[in-house]
Amino acid sequence: MNPQADVPADGVAESEGCRVTVSFRLLGGVDADLDGRPLGGLGHARQRLVLAALLLDANRAVTAEQLIDRVWADRPPQRARNTLYSCLSRLRQALAPARAEVGIERRHGGYLLAVDPETVDVHRFRRLVARAHAAGDYDRATALLEQEIGRAHV
């Protein structure tokens, strides 16, 4: 799996001869689509928070301790690590239909969600904000931001 290889800004990638579209939404709720259809099995709110925590740090290892802190803050369950491992296992299963484009990997020091950042609305939004700011063209900046906000609520 090489989720960053030649994936254009629209989040469309070639996979074994067919076009596959994967997209993740964190703005306004944690959801995922595969080929324009909701990707089921993302689970309950805490499990979705695990996914969100990994997506925010796309392609970077996040330690189990960081994930536990981000998801449960100062109220972790008694067996927080076991609960986290269960969430990760279920998320791997939910993401399996998109495994050519995205996957949760165990790395030294933590867990990494391998994904093209352009498939994640937050990362597209950040890139557009930076681009708009650098351009200094406030009309263009407004148009770019409105475009991404519109995509986030689709």
Side-chain angles (χ1 to χ4, degrees), residues 28-52:
V30 180
D31 281 306
D33 290 331
L34 179 62
D35 291 333
R37 296 186 187 139
L39 188 61
L42 295 181
H44 54 79
R46 297 287 185 193
Q47 188 167 301
R48 287 172 183 260
L49 285 175
V50 172
L51 177 61

Side-chain angles (χ1 to χ4, degrees), residues 85-136:
Y85 298 152
S86 293
C87 288
L88 289 165
S89 176
R90 287 190 297 270
L91 285 170
R92 281 186 178 116
Q93 290 173 358
L95 297 172
R99 72 178 152 268
E101 311 307 321
V102 61
I104 298 172
E105 302 172 6
R106 176 77 172 114
R107 293 285 174 95
H108 180 70
Y111 294 89
L112 177 143
L113 186 78
V115 64
D116 176 11
E118 285 298 310
T119 65
V120 183
D121 63 355
V122 168
H123 296 295
R124 284 192 312 270
F125 187 79
R126 287 177 179 164
R127 181 184 50 77
L128 288 172
V129 167
R131 223 173 88 197
H133 187 267

